[in-house]
Amino acid sequence: MPLPPSPTAAAAEDAPGLRKIIHVDMDAFYASVEQRDAPELRGRPVAVGGSAARGVVAAASYEARAFGVRSAMPSARAVQLCPELIFRRPRFEVYRAVSQQIRAIFLDYTPHVEPLSLDEAYLDVTRDLRGIGSATRIAELIRQRIRAETGLTASAGVSYNKFLAKLASDQNKPDGLCVIRPGEGAAFVASLPVARFHGVGPRGAEKMAGLGIATGADLRRLDLATLRQHFGAQADYLYRAARGIDLRAVMADRPRKSVGAERTFDRDLSSGSVLRETLETIIDLAWDRIARADASGRTVTLKLKFRDFSAMSRARSVAAPIATRVALAEVARGLLDQVLPLPQPVRLMGVTLSALDEPGQDADAGATAPGQAQLPF
């Protein structure tokens, strides 16, 4: 059973001069590209995704977000919230091209770039290629170049570990920069709602609220044994996160095992026609994530969880990599048809693409040993 970090480890994480990590996150990436390429859309609420009754919002501009429109929201609901919403079909080939431009900018400063999707990445600039030394200055330069070379804005977070850098990049969105310096992490985390922690979803936040946990400070008051009692395998992560501790290295070109999406329904579903229609929504959500990751793969898995919480999965592998939504949908529909009619109503459905055709790299790629940073943060 893992032990909590020793006081020495925690102190080392907060000590100056360990690592310099930047998290860069493009602002409303898909929607911003559409507004850039169609000037008549600028300043107007835009959603990227399907506008049909069973469509899903893949991305929303900040003008649309002001009305409550969010990614993964059913398009019908988005239109209810914002009747003036303008839909655009995704242009993934354009988004990939822009992402490659942005990736090239990152690589001008460090080879240690860990892409999370087309629109965000971690950079380890503990030793940067240009000898600038200041992670804050590098983040400023990267944001300036992204604006100048792509016409888009990016937000960035700068800190001494990945967890804090990601929190920081979301702090001053859009078009913002936030720096959490060595020694400041624990205090920064203490003031945040636990819903801001990566991996704490709506249900997790609701469970924490029932335990009287609203902020990082509340979470920090619980010992590891109590956290394990209530949160199981997630306890060790929560223990460290509440203290601003994250020892993960930036992993350049980290290989993915799978990409997909799943949804738990408000009510259990049993009708074959409803399940087929719902599957299309799940495929849309899964394909959005697959496209963001710029991934292709050969195995499609359909996951179903029933009313009694038992689960069923069916998978099919194909000879050629699945590189389009049409191909993904064809396989996923076939898997659902194989299991219909179902033995009982379904409460969750998921679609995943695996056996990905992505370049792997040694597990130590991109890691920077502690103690290398000697220049200002």
Side-chain angles (χ1 to χ4, degrees):
M1 180 177 291
L3 296 174
S6 66
T8 303
E13 182 65 4
D14 281 337
L18 291 180
R19 293 181 293 162
K20 300 178 182 181
I21 310 297
I22 302 172
H23 180 259
V24 180
D25 192 3
M26 300 300 296
D27 298 321
F29 183 52
Y30 291 3
S32 294
V33 171
E34 298 303 324
Q35 290 177 315
R36 180 197 69 177
D37 294 348
E40 69 274 13
L41 299 179
R42 295 173 189 171
R44 302 178 69 184
V46 174
V48 175
S51 59
R54 61 174 175 79
V56 176
V57 174
S61 69
Y62 282 96
E63 295 85 356
R65 294 182 190 186
F67 290 87
V69 178
R70 296 290 184 270
S71 62
M73 176 179 286
S75 298
R77 174 59 178 160
V79 172
Q80 288 178 346
L81 293 172
C82 181
E84 303 301 317
L85 190 62
I86 302 168
F87 281 90
R88 286 290 185 270
R89 297 300 303 176
R91 298 184 298 152
F92 290 116
E93 70 285 353
V94 176
Y95 309 147
R96 289 191 187 97
V98 177
S99 180
Q100 289 170 2
Q101 283 183 272
I102 296 165
R103 189 82 50 84
I105 293 172
F106 296 159
L107 293 172
D108 273 351
Y109 298 90
T110 176
H112 304 312
V113 177
E114 180 181 332
L116 301 179
S117 62
L118 292 180
D119 57 349
E120 63 174 319
Y122 289 112
L123 291 72
D124 188 326
V125 296
T126 307
R127 286 183 173 176
D128 66 281
L129 296 175
R130 299 190 173 200
I132 295 169
S134 166
T136 304
R137 179 58 180 156
I138 293 170
E140 290 171 340
L141 291 172
I142 286 173
R143 292 178 62 245
Q144 290 170 10
R145 285 189 57 187
I146 288 173
R147 181 190 289 272
E149 297 178 27
T150 71
L152 303 170
T153 64
S155 295
V158 179
S159 196
Y160 51 92
N161 66 46
K162 293 166 73 172
F163 173 70
L164 293 172
K166 187 170 177 65
L167 286 176
S169 70
D170 194 46
Q171 187 71 8
N172 295 321
K173 270 186 164 289
D175 196 19
L177 175 67
C178 177
V179 181
I180 304 173
R181 292 175 172 80
E184 299 176 349
F188 182 87
V189 170
S191 66
L192 291 181
V194 287
R196 286 275 307 274
F197 287 27
H198 179 67
V200 178
R203 291 193 176 186
E206 183 178 346
K207 181 177 180 179
M208 289 184 181
L211 297 170
I213 304 169
T215 67
D218 296 331
L219 187 61
R220 185 167 182 168
R221 283 193 282 269
L222 300 184
D223 60 28
L224 187 58
T226 303
L227 288 173
R228 284 176 175 159
Q229 177 185 348
H230 291 286
F231 301 104
Q234 196 181 21
D236 291 73
Y237 160 72
L238 293 173
Y239 183 92
R240 291 176 171 84
R243 291 157 176 77
I245 296 171
D246 182 3
L247 300 177
R248 295 172 301 159
V250 170
M251 307 288 282
D253 295 321
R254 184 175 72 177
R256 293 175 178 265
K257 295 182 179 179
S258 64
V259 186
E262 61 183 39
R263 283 294 180 270
T264 301
F265 311 130
D266 294 334
R267 56 184 179 83
D268 296 340
L269 306 180
S270 57
S271 164
S273 60
V274 173
L275 286 167
R276 288 188 179 95
E277 183 173 346
T278 304
L279 176 64
E280 298 302 317
T281 297
I282 305 299
I283 291 168
D284 282 339
L285 295 171
W287 185 250
D288 174 53
R289 294 184 179 181
I290 292 164
R292 283 179 182 269
D294 198 18
S296 62
R298 300 169 187 268
T299 301
V300 178
T301 301
L302 174 70
K303 174 183 175 182
L304 300 170
K305 185 174 287 187
F306 297 108
R307 174 181 286 170
D308 65 357
F309 288 88
S310 63
M312 169 193 292
S313 64
R314 294 291 184 271
R316 179 186 165 199
S317 296
V318 295
I322 290 173
T324 67
R325 185 201 180 280
V326 171
L328 177 71
E330 181 181 359
V331 178
R333 291 168 189 154
L335 292 171
L336 180 60
D337 287 342
Q338 287 177 18
V339 298
L340 289 176
L342 295 173
Q344 58 177 303
V346 171
R347 66 186 308 271
L348 174 147
M349 178 183 290
V351 173
T352 302
L353 184 65
S354 58
L356 301 182
D357 288 352
E358 289 194 331
Q361 189 156 329
D362 186 81
D364 292 330
T368 304
Q372 289 184 347
Q374 302 298 331
L375 296 170
F377 199 77

